[in-house]
Amino acid sequence: MKAVSPRLEKVTPDTVLDACRLEVAPEQRKFVSPVAQSLAEAYVHPDTAWPRLICDGDRIVGFVMAFFDVRFDYDADVPDAPLRSGLWRLAIAAGEQGRGYGRFAVGAVNEEIRRRGGTVSTVTWHGGEGGPEEFYLRLGYRMRGLTDDDEYLGDLDLTG
């Protein structure tokens, strides 16, 4: 079953509890933080975080959160390294996976980065069987190395 018309929506007082109830597949829980934690991080980083629900019709099918203009420790030895923007969190509900919602959400984040003048999208992920690495690489992200937190870092050129 393909997504009919996915869209991103702001989290509102009417949708916050449903957002917090979103669950990924049990084997994926070690790779993504709960939505409630992401919303708490967005609350304390309002100038950096961009949390959105992924909706299709009247269903919440996932959650995505972007970050904008962050200095990464990964770039500490790079003089004048640009600030990074990219994908902070992505969680697709267990029963909604395989329908293109993740691809849609990453594309929407990348469009927002472009809209803000960015030319590169950054993502980090934890390695391991069943993790998101293959997904990001299929979308065109190139692995660059490991962060100080032992997460893989990838980036995608948005100029092409």
Side-chain angles (χ1 to χ4, degrees):
M1 175 187 241
K2 275 302 245 183
V4 176
S5 57
R7 67 190 185 288
L8 297 186
E9 297 282 342
K10 289 182 179 181
V11 180
T12 68
D14 292 334
T15 59
V16 68
L17 290 178
D18 288 332
C20 290
R21 290 183 185 116
L22 187 132
E23 292 278 340
V24 297
E27 65 274 11
Q28 295 171 336
R29 290 183 189 142
K30 64 185 174 185
F31 297 109
V32 64
S33 299
V35 173
Q37 178 181 336
S38 297
L39 291 174
E41 289 172 329
Y43 178 80
V44 299
H45 298 286
D47 296 331
T48 302
W50 193 72
R52 296 293 187 267
L53 297 175
I54 307 163
C55 299
D56 194 356
D58 60 356
R59 295 184 344 270
I60 296 172
V61 298
F63 174 83
V64 64
M65 188 161 75
F67 64 89
F68 299 103
D69 300 327
V70 173
R71 189 157 314 282
F72 267 48
D73 289 341
Y74 180 83
D75 298 321
D77 296 333
V78 180
D80 301 320
L83 298 175
R84 291 184 179 268
S85 297
L87 190 67
W88 192 346
R89 297 276 160 67
L90 177 62
I92 305 299
E96 302 289 352
Q97 295 183 8
R99 298 179 182 177
Y101 295 124
R103 178 179 291 276
F104 163 78
V106 173
V109 164
N110 290 340
E111 283 304 312
E112 183 65 17
I113 293 169
R114 282 187 193 100
R115 189 186 72 73
R116 293 175 182 229
T119 59
V120 175
S121 175
T122 297
V123 65
T124 61
W125 65 87
H126 293 286
E129 187 176 333
E133 182 173 308
E134 287 182 35
F135 172 74
Y136 294 128
L137 296 178
R138 277 195 316 268
L139 291 179
Y141 285 86
R142 296 187 323 173
M143 191 180 308
R144 296 297 185 194
L146 287 172
T147 69
D148 291 344
D149 297 330
D150 287 327
E151 289 183 308
Y152 290 96
L153 182 139
D155 60 25
L156 176 67
D157 181 353
L158 299 177
T159 61

